[in-house]
Amino acid sequence: AAGRDLDPRGVYRRRCGDIFEQAVALTLQHEGGYINDPADPGGETRYGISKRAFPKVDIANLTINKAKAIYKAFYWERGPHLIKHPSLAAKYFDLCVNAGVSRASKWLQEASNLFGAALAIDGVVGPVTAEYINRYPHPEALLCALKGLAFNHYVNINKPRFLAGWL
């Protein structure tokens, strides 16, 4: 099967580039256009890239290709690229863009610990965290736990107008 890798359970998975594109597509479903809403904690934003996080970027004129380059360098390559399960990698990436890499990584570690991982919650997804996640036989359960932790955080922000997009 050219262009695909075989995981230890014998299930074909897509290569990293395909998973990245899938993750970007998920994020762009709710991080699309230009927004400069004073009520939005992110402030001036386009494609989920905020002026607060990237003060030197011209957010109003940001192109999708430049946004993808930022996504890859500042979010994807800092953890999500290590996760083999496409849906879990995509949601983790989406949370990195929305909540920051450290917070999203801590949620992923906390979610793993709910299933007995005993990972340090240091906000860095490296080889130890990735190995546990990639070997865990129930990635959809991890995904549900990750979404639950994110949900609790976003509900506590108490901005119902933005809740659907954050989740």
Side-chain angles (χ1 to χ4, degrees), residues 27-112:
T27 297
L28 289 177
Q29 286 177 2
H30 55 85
E31 294 284 10
Y34 176 79
I35 297 168
N36 194 5
D37 184 340
D40 186 343
E44 184 182 17
T45 305
R46 183 178 207 122
Y47 307 124
I49 309 294
S50 72
K51 188 66 148 181
R52 186 176 56 176
F54 297 93
K56 295 182 180 178
V57 172
D58 179 2
I59 300 297
N61 295 305
L62 181 66
T63 66
I64 189 65
N65 287 335
K66 177 67 175 167
K68 283 183 177 183
I70 291 170
Y71 284 159
K72 192 157 212 166
F74 291 93
Y75 300 106
W76 183 254
E77 296 294 334
R78 292 183 59 203
H81 73 288
L82 297 171
I83 307 305
K84 293 179 182 177
H85 189 272
S87 297
L88 187 56
K91 185 59 184 177
Y92 170 39
F93 167 78
D94 183 57
L95 291 171
C96 286
V97 172
N98 189 271
V101 174
S102 180
R103 179 176 287 147
S105 297
K106 286 177 182 177
W107 289 337
L108 187 57
Q109 290 165 332
E110 287 177 44
S112 299

